[in-house]
Amino acid sequence: MRCPVWLVVGAAVLAAVAGALARQRLTGGALQRLQQLRRLRRLREQRQRRLEADHQTSVEPDVLELEAGAEVPLALSNVAALVAPATPTPPAGRPVAPAPGFSALSPATQPPQLPTAPTLGPASRSNLTYLVQRLEHSTERPSVSTTPEPGVEGQLRVSGGRGPFEGNVEIFHDGRWGYICDDEWDMAEAEIACQQLGYQTAQKPTHDGFYGHPEGEISFWMDNMYCLGNERRLSQCRFDGWAQHDCAPSELAGVSCRGQLEDAKATKAPALTTAEPAVPKTSLWHTTKGRLKVRLRGGRVPSEGRLELKIGDDDWGLVCGDGWSMLTANVACRTLGLGYAAAALQTGFFGGNGSTKVMSGLECIGNESVLINCRHDEQLFCPGDPQTNIATVVCQPEMADLVPDHEAMMQSAYLEDRQLFYLQCAMEENCLAASAYRIRKENADWHVMPRRLLRFTTKVANRGSAAFRPLLPKEAWEWHACHMHYHSMEVFSTYEVIDDSGRRVAEGHKASFCLEDSSCSAGVEPGFSCANFGDQGISVGCADSYAHNIDCQWLDVTDIDPGRYRLRVVINGEYKVGEQSWENNAVTCDFNYQTTVGTVTNCHLGRP
């Protein structure tokens, strides 16, 4: 049966139309892919030119890096389809790792900082393949934010201070700003922060939200910072991990800087310009002319409450909570005849929210007999929420007093060379120098590389009138599989080696402690034990001992040259747990380091 003519003609027309549409789709898709490749190449070339103009280290010309604020022109599926035919097989022994710090693909958020990848000439295929592999293997999937706050990954800023040279430190990560916890925050971290902010040096690190407490919920990005001093950015230092912390909202780290740089992007150390003046302080005795009254109000018992001062014939007023510490609170309790400070708080819990503040920056060394011997800010400056930024204290008549045994340190000190294979658990606790972590990352034979360790025993006795207990409650303790016990304190003791110029050349710490009664005086029964999730602490008349052969009980001195140094060990140096006095919490010794022998001599006690 023959087909009608109109049917044959219609089929031919439909075939022609379909072919034209297919050719158009093919041509359009190829053109689109070509345009996308050109856009990516332009982004890469712009990045290279900018880096060369800023005198920074050049990147490989074939490594794709996305600028902050740059639009990602291709969806992940399109990029994968585009390079699939020419995707090279990754070299053996080079597995693709997750991209660190990768936050979002939003145009206004910081893109991933990609490490150098192997390239295949000027073509962009290998770069696109590397991007796809990074995205597909990232452990932190990008989250799109429609209204992200402005910032660049790892950027710092300060808030609450009197200018850009001081304030609580904030860091930008994952599309938003967050704070840094003050655990282990000291001069080494402050120096890096000030240099990144564009200043020559740090005047001082601050703790406990010295520059005020912001309203609302506080987000912490970093905790337990550990900088060696050669880092260019805080994000290059070691810490517990992004958003990994156990910090109270009051534990804000801050900094006061001086000496603004002429060019913060300069590769050479620029000249020091006009330094920012230190916050002027004056003697409380000078301000009051000897006429000062002190009291506590609003507490549940007479030994706690908000601190109020009466200067001369003026009305009673509050003390600003900025910088309020255990050292100053101890002197306040001593002035009132209430014993010792068990807690130094910045809170409106004890009332007084409508009262006038008459003083800020109250600061004591800790050994003053009365509060009038301390210092304060010449001009009242109390940032943060006025309803809650109030200095309060809890006093108690009995308190622990820890004293390290310097004789045990001298008798037990020696050098040991140990391979990294046996130090993997210690590396989790940041107990080795930074070079050990670089070796593990870059050297395939890292496990046989030796480290030189200065080992010594620390024995800490409680000679006070009350038991010493950890700051964290028992439900907040963390189980550590390597050490097979619960850690009750983040930082209990710190170790450092100092050269003749006062520069710290080696640093260590017992970052996670288990406190127990290792030995007790005659007639004293041990009351604390780490085993079986037992209660931790140090009883009066007992001592906690960490022998020289215990993990992390050392200083990594691999990277320092033989010579004469000072060894310094500090106990409870962050003043987080109350004591009768901190005048005996530090041990300073002479450390004579020879090629194969290290001796520790002439140790004496002092304050941190």
Side-chain angles (χ1 to χ4, degrees):
M1 180 178 181
R2 299 181 59 184
C3 295
V5 175
W6 63 268
L7 184 59
V8 175
V9 174
V13 171
L14 287 176
V17 171
L21 289 175
R23 286 191 298 273
Q24 183 179 5
R25 284 196 300 269
L26 180 60
T27 303
L31 180 61
Q32 181 184 17
R33 286 193 292 271
L34 180 61
Q35 292 173 342
Q36 290 166 344
L37 281 173
R38 288 174 176 173
R39 294 185 65 183
L40 287 175
R41 189 175 295 110
R42 283 197 300 272
L43 284 174
R44 183 192 63 219
E45 292 171 352
Q46 291 171 3
R47 172 64 173 172
Q48 180 70 15
R49 286 195 298 270
R50 187 175 291 108
L51 288 178
E52 292 174 354
D54 289 342
H55 303 285
Q56 297 181 0
T57 303
S58 299
V59 297
E60 293 288 338
D62 289 330
V63 175
L64 174 65
E65 293 190 15
L66 303 180
E67 282 294 317
E71 179 183 357
V72 177
L74 295 176
L76 177 60
S77 59
N78 292 339
V79 178
L82 184 62
V83 301
T87 301
T89 303
R94 294 285 300 275
V96 178
F102 185 39
S103 57
L105 291 179
S106 173
T109 57
Q110 172 65 8
Q113 299 296 318
L114 302 180
T116 303
T119 58
L120 299 176
S124 300
R125 284 187 181 272
S126 60
N127 298 326
L128 292 172
T129 303
Y130 189 70
L131 174 62
V132 172
Q133 292 171 337
R134 286 299 193 190
L135 295 176
E136 291 178 342
H137 291 80
S138 176
T139 58
E140 185 178 0
R141 300 300 297 174
S143 57
V144 178
S145 174
T146 56
T147 57
E149 299 181 47
V152 176
E153 181 69 25
Q155 180 183 348
L156 297 185
R157 71 181 184 187
V158 292
S159 58
R162 308 178 202 201
F165 61 93
E166 67 175 18
N168 296 323
V169 180
E170 300 179 54
I171 187 167
F172 191 83
H173 172 67
D174 199 18
R176 58 191 176 91
W177 292 96
Y179 290 90
I180 298 174
C181 186
D182 61 10
D183 293 335
E184 297 194 67
W185 179 260
D186 56 22
M187 200 63 179
E189 288 73 40
E191 289 282 0
I192 303 299
C194 285
Q195 291 170 15
Q196 186 176 345
L197 287 167
Y199 291 87
Q200 184 82 358
T201 185
Q203 179 172 286
K204 66 176 180 179
T206 63
H207 305 82
D208 300 315
F210 185 85
Y211 295 102
H213 299 90
E215 298 181 9
E217 184 178 355
I218 294 178
S219 298
F220 284 101
W221 272 134
M222 290 177 160
D223 188 16
N224 290 323
M225 298 291 301
Y226 188 80
C227 301
L228 292 175
N230 56 0
E231 298 87 353
R232 299 186 63 181
R233 301 167 65 86
L234 272 187
S235 56
Q236 295 174 348
C237 301
R238 302 207 297 272
F239 57 99
D240 286 352
W242 295 108
Q244 300 298 314
H245 72 93
D246 55 1
C247 302
S250 62
E251 297 182 69
L252 301 179
V255 71
S256 177
C257 307
R258 59 183 178 183
Q260 189 169 9
L261 303 183
E262 293 177 350
D263 182 6
K265 295 183 179 181
T267 55
K268 297 182 180 180
L272 187 66
T273 61
T274 304
E276 299 289 350
V279 177
K281 287 186 177 289
T282 187
S283 165
L284 192 54
W285 178 273
H286 174 76
T287 301
T288 63
K289 296 180 174 58
R291 301 176 62 193
L292 176 69
K293 293 182 180 180
V294 184
R295 71 182 185 185
L296 297 182
R297 284 293 183 269
R300 298 157 294 187
V301 293
S303 58
E304 68 177 20
R306 63 183 185 271
L307 182 68
E308 293 189 351
L309 304 180
K310 181 176 175 63
I311 302 174
D313 296 327
D314 296 340
D315 294 333
W316 289 92
L318 303 175
V319 175
C320 180
D322 285 353
W324 181 245
S325 68
M326 290 289 287
L327 292 171
T328 308
N330 232 17
V331 178
C333 292
R334 187 180 302 138
T335 302
L336 294 166
L338 298 175
Y340 312 95
L345 309 172
Q346 302 165 356
T347 178
F349 178 78
F350 296 113
N353 310 75
S355 302
T356 302
K357 294 184 177 67
V358 297
M359 190 169 296
S360 65
L362 188 57
E363 181 181 85
C364 303
I365 296 176
N367 57 5
E368 296 88 349
S369 58
V370 288
L371 203 61
I372 202 171
N373 294 331
C374 301
R375 303 189 307 158
H376 69 97
D377 292 345
E378 286 186 0
Q379 297 181 350
L380 180 66
F381 175 66
C382 192
D385 183 7
Q387 303 297 315
T388 60
N389 199 8
I390 301 171
T392 65
V393 65
V394 177
C395 305
Q396 64 183 42
E398 296 182 340
M399 185 62 63
D401 190 22
L402 301 184
V403 182
D405 187 343
H406 57 288
E407 295 287 343
M409 285 182 55
M410 289 188 290
Q411 296 170 3
S412 60
Y414 65 97
L415 293 178
E416 178 190 28
D417 291 337
R418 197 166 180 81
Q419 294 173 327
L420 278 175
F421 177 80
Y422 301 101
L423 302 174
Q424 297 180 66
C425 183
M427 294 186 78
E428 295 181 18
E429 296 291 327
N430 289 328
C431 295
L432 297 178
S435 59
Y437 298 85
R438 290 196 298 268
I439 290 173
R440 185 174 64 174
K441 180 180 179 181
E442 299 171 0
N443 196 321
D445 298 324
W446 63 268
H447 55 285
V448 297
M449 298 295 177
R451 305 299 296 179
R452 174 151 291 185
L453 310 175
L454 172 63
R455 286 185 173 272
F456 52 88
T457 296
T458 57
K459 184 178 181 180
V460 182
N462 183 0
R463 298 180 183 174
S465 55
F468 182 91
R469 291 178 175 271
L471 176 66
L472 296 176
K474 196 169 185 177
E475 60 269 16
W477 297 353
E478 294 185 2
W479 171 259
H480 198 278
C482 282
H483 296 161
M484 298 301 291
H485 60 231
Y486 282 91
H487 290 168
S488 61
M489 291 192 69
E490 288 180 334
V491 179
F492 182 72
S493 63
T494 58
Y495 317 139
E496 59 185 3
V497 174
I498 306 168
D499 63 12
D500 291 337
S501 64
R503 184 173 62 95
R504 181 173 53 193
V505 295
E507 181 182 9
H509 62 290
K510 288 292 292 183
S512 298
F513 247 63
C514 166
L515 299 173
E516 65 180 6
D517 294 331
S518 303
S519 59
C520 297
S521 304
V524 179
E525 291 292 328
F528 298 102
S529 175
C530 296
N532 302 320
F533 199 33
D535 292 333
Q536 295 188 25
I538 308 176
S539 302
V540 177
C542 297
D544 177 88
S545 298
Y546 266 75
H548 55 83
N549 59 349
I550 294 179
D551 200 31
C552 279
Q553 190 55 48
W554 63 61
L555 260 169
D556 186 350
V557 296
T558 307
D559 301 323
I560 69 175
D561 297 324
R564 293 187 176 274
Y565 302 91
R566 282 180 296 145
L567 170 65
R568 185 170 171 83
V569 175
V570 176
I571 307 297
N572 192 24
E574 293 187 343
Y575 313 116
K576 293 295 180 68
V577 182
E579 292 192 45
Q580 291 183 2
S581 171
W582 282 273
E583 296 302 308
N584 50 13
N585 280 52
V587 179
T588 304
C589 312
D590 293 334
F591 172 42
N592 184 13
Y593 176 32
Q594 301 177 16
T595 306
T596 57
V597 179
T599 57
V600 175
T601 58
N602 193 29
C603 293
H604 60 275
L605 295 174
R607 65 178 291 119

